[in-house]
Amino acid sequence: MTRVLVVEDEQHLAEGLRFNLEAEGFDVTLCETGEEALRAFSEGGRYALLVLDVMLPGVSGFDVIQTLRQAGHFLPTLMLTARSRPEDVVRGIAAGADDYLAKPFELSVLLARIKSLLRRQQWTSQSGPAQSPSAPTPTSKLLINDCEVDFEALEVRRGEHIQPLTLMEANLLRYLYEREGQTVSRADLLANVWHVHEDTDTRAIDNFIVRLRRYLETDPATPQHLQTVRGVGYRLRVNRTLPESSETAG
């Protein structure tokens, strides 16, 4: 059974979410505060997905997701908020959320978003966002610098070190890979990776780029593979793709 952690301080809404998610076959745990949610993870709780309200007493949802990502918890996360301004959406993205839903919302929309996040995690290894006509053939693995990127396992391997990827980090990297050598604008990434279509002046994507450079580049301060095109966006250059399954080689 798929385990979902719901962090919501409005008791009526939280119980409604629990009832309806359990009716869909999910195993649901409720937390009322950000502190409770962080404690659930620190005590070894394992969940397939996190539904996280932004406006919580004490530790905010933004702080919760940022803390979890820094601690190495990369589960798909849907943030809920009464604040739907583009800058708030972007802040959620920058903190590490995978999707963002404004209150009030229809139950059918929430369920569709949750199921979509779980599906996206499954098919990240098979196909990313819509490809450009000249996109490379889809692959589950590729080599960037001395790092092996494994989209199926959602991780980057450099020697003995393994760095997990969030779903959005993997989707961003795959989107750039499918347009290898092309300059991709921030607006393009927001629209096609995060589906944020508002005309928003934001540098939120930079946070993801900085993290990916730490994973992939020998010297993140002077990137050779994940490059910034000043005033426009980003460009990725890879070494090569790897066989779909190294276990079958030889």
Side-chain angles (χ1 to χ4, degrees):
M1 185 177 291
T2 302
R3 298 191 68 199
V4 176
L5 180 66
V6 175
V7 188
E8 172 58 66
D9 65 319
E10 296 180 40
Q11 185 174 7
H12 178 73
L13 176 57
E15 291 296 341
L17 289 173
R18 187 216 296 265
F19 177 82
N20 285 284
L21 288 173
E22 287 181 345
E24 292 290 322
F26 295 103
D27 178 8
V28 180
T29 299
L30 294 182
C31 291
E32 293 185 359
T33 68
E35 290 88 348
E36 286 182 35
L38 292 175
R39 187 161 55 249
F41 283 96
S42 68
E43 292 175 353
R46 298 179 66 85
Y47 306 94
L49 184 131
L50 172 64
V51 178
L52 176 64
D53 187 33
V54 168
M55 304 300 291
L56 296 168
V59 178
S60 74
F62 293 129
D63 292 332
V64 169
I65 186 59
Q66 190 168 30
T67 300
L68 290 176
R69 296 309 193 217
Q70 291 172 350
H73 298 289
F74 297 97
L75 75 168
T77 299
L78 172 64
M79 297 195 81
L80 305 177
T81 182
R83 302 165 61 181
S84 58
R85 297 176 302 173
E87 53 266 39
D88 294 321
V89 176
V90 167
R91 184 180 175 190
I93 291 170
D98 297 302
D99 202 354
Y100 205 95
L101 184 60
K103 298 178 181 178
F105 51 80
E106 296 288 338
L107 175 63
S108 60
V109 174
L110 174 75
L111 292 174
R113 295 288 188 89
I114 287 174
K115 292 175 182 179
S116 176
L117 279 175
L118 294 172
R119 282 197 307 270
R120 281 158 63 185
Q121 187 171 38
Q122 293 172 356
W123 59 242
T124 292
S125 64
Q126 300 168 0
S127 62
Q131 296 181 6
S132 65
S134 59
T137 302
T139 181
S140 64
K141 296 181 183 179
L142 59 97
L143 193 67
I144 300 177
N145 195 14
D146 57 349
C147 301
E148 179 183 316
V149 180
D150 189 331
F151 288 110
E152 184 173 357
L154 290 176
E155 62 188 24
V156 175
R157 304 186 189 105
R158 172 180 274 168
E160 298 298 316
H161 178 71
I162 296 177
Q163 172 62 54
L165 292 172
T166 68
L167 180 60
M168 284 296 100
E169 287 170 346
N171 283 344
L172 171 59
L173 191 55
R174 180 180 282 281
Y175 191 82
L176 291 170
Y177 161 66
E178 289 170 349
R179 291 148 185 81
E180 192 208 351
Q182 303 175 34
T183 299
V184 182
S185 70
R186 292 182 179 86
D188 185 352
L189 293 172
L190 282 173
N192 292 295
V193 178
W194 283 275
H195 308 292
V196 176
H197 297 283
E198 290 86 352
D199 184 13
T200 305
D201 181 15
T202 176
R203 296 272 176 175
I205 304 301
D206 294 356
N207 296 328
F208 283 83
I209 297 295
V210 167
R211 289 203 297 270
L212 289 174
R213 283 175 176 158
R214 286 203 300 264
Y215 305 160
L216 301 170
E217 300 282 357
T218 301
D219 180 3
T222 56
Q224 302 300 307
H225 297 272
L226 188 46
Q227 302 170 332
T228 298
V229 180
R230 188 175 298 277
V232 182
Y234 305 99
R235 179 173 57 230
L236 178 68
R237 298 191 184 280
V238 305
N239 297 24
R240 61 185 175 88
T241 60
L242 297 175
E244 289 297 314
S245 174
S246 59
E247 295 178 356
T248 60

